[in-house]
Amino acid sequence: MNGTHPRSRALRPAAFWFRSVAGLLLGGVMLSFGMASAQQAGDTDQLRTLGQCRGCSFEKLELNGRRMMGVNLTEARFRDVDFSQTGMNIAIFDFAVLENVSFASADLNGVSFRGARLINVSFENADLRGAVFEDATVEGTDLQAGNLCNTQMPNETMDNSDCD
């Protein structure tokens, strides 16, 4: 034996894996949120480490082309944010307020905007297959500009206009 406890050697790969995954999350996708002007000091830190930021506020943020799948942004506020060409599958924007936001050509497959308020939001060529807009308030926003298939609209109808 080399003087180390056998259990401590067994834990090393798991600890290495955890540090590697945490490093990828912090060093990759979520660090882009560092440019946000947040209402609370911990908003960007919480989003980076947990992939969620309930009630956070972001303004004048460029996130085009990022991969942000599964983030929870319930009750968050976004103003002048560019999510163009962003991959956001199964993200949650429930009860969020989005104003002057672009999701142009973004992958929003399965994203939930339940009860959200969308003001001047662009969905030009966005993939809205399986997206949910139940009880959303839409002002100056054209959902028809996106690709709709199994998309639950604000009036609780299902839009399949772009299904193949």
Side-chain angles (χ1 to χ4, degrees):
M1 236 40 192
N2 62 5
T4 61
H5 192 276
R7 292 178 91 189
S8 66
R9 267 188 276 135
L11 293 176
R12 285 187 189 140
F16 175 77
W17 178 85
F18 178 77
R19 277 186 267 138
S20 297
V21 170
L24 285 173
L25 286 174
L26 289 172
V29 174
M30 298 306 171
L31 273 180
S32 61
F33 280 94
M35 300 177 293
S37 79
Q39 243 179 7
Q40 301 170 355
D43 287 356
T44 55
D45 293 334
Q46 184 178 359
L47 183 58
R48 281 186 220 144
T49 58
L50 302 175
Q52 65 179 350
C53 203
R54 292 181 65 101
C56 295
S57 182
F58 299 96
E59 191 168 336
K60 296 182 182 171
L61 190 59
E62 297 287 330
L63 296 171
N64 46 332
R66 308 284 186 202
R67 304 288 308 158
M68 300 169 49
M69 296 188 306
V71 294
N72 184 351
L73 300 165
T74 300
E75 299 175 345
R77 300 180 68 80
F78 294 90
R79 177 182 243 172
D80 301 317
V81 176
D82 184 6
F83 287 108
S84 298
Q85 299 177 347
T86 301
M88 299 191 80
N89 304 54
I90 63 173
I92 302 170
F93 287 92
D94 292 350
F95 306 103
V97 177
L98 296 92
E99 185 175 357
N100 300 322
V101 171
S102 176
F103 288 106
S105 300
D107 184 353
L108 301 173
N109 194 337
V111 172
S112 179
F113 291 94
R114 189 172 53 89
R117 186 168 178 212
L118 308 172
I119 306 162
N120 299 321
V121 176
S122 171
F123 289 103
E124 187 75 29
N125 295 316
D127 181 356
L128 298 173
R129 290 176 294 151
V132 176
F133 292 93
E134 177 185 350
D135 297 325
T137 303
V138 179
E139 301 171 33
T141 300
D142 182 13
L143 296 177
Q144 297 297 323
N147 299 317
L148 307 174
C149 182
N150 296 321
T151 305
Q152 187 175 349
M153 303 304 279
N155 62 2
E156 299 189 25
T157 61
M158 191 68 68
D159 192 317
N160 292 310
S161 59
D162 297 313
C163 293
D164 294 340

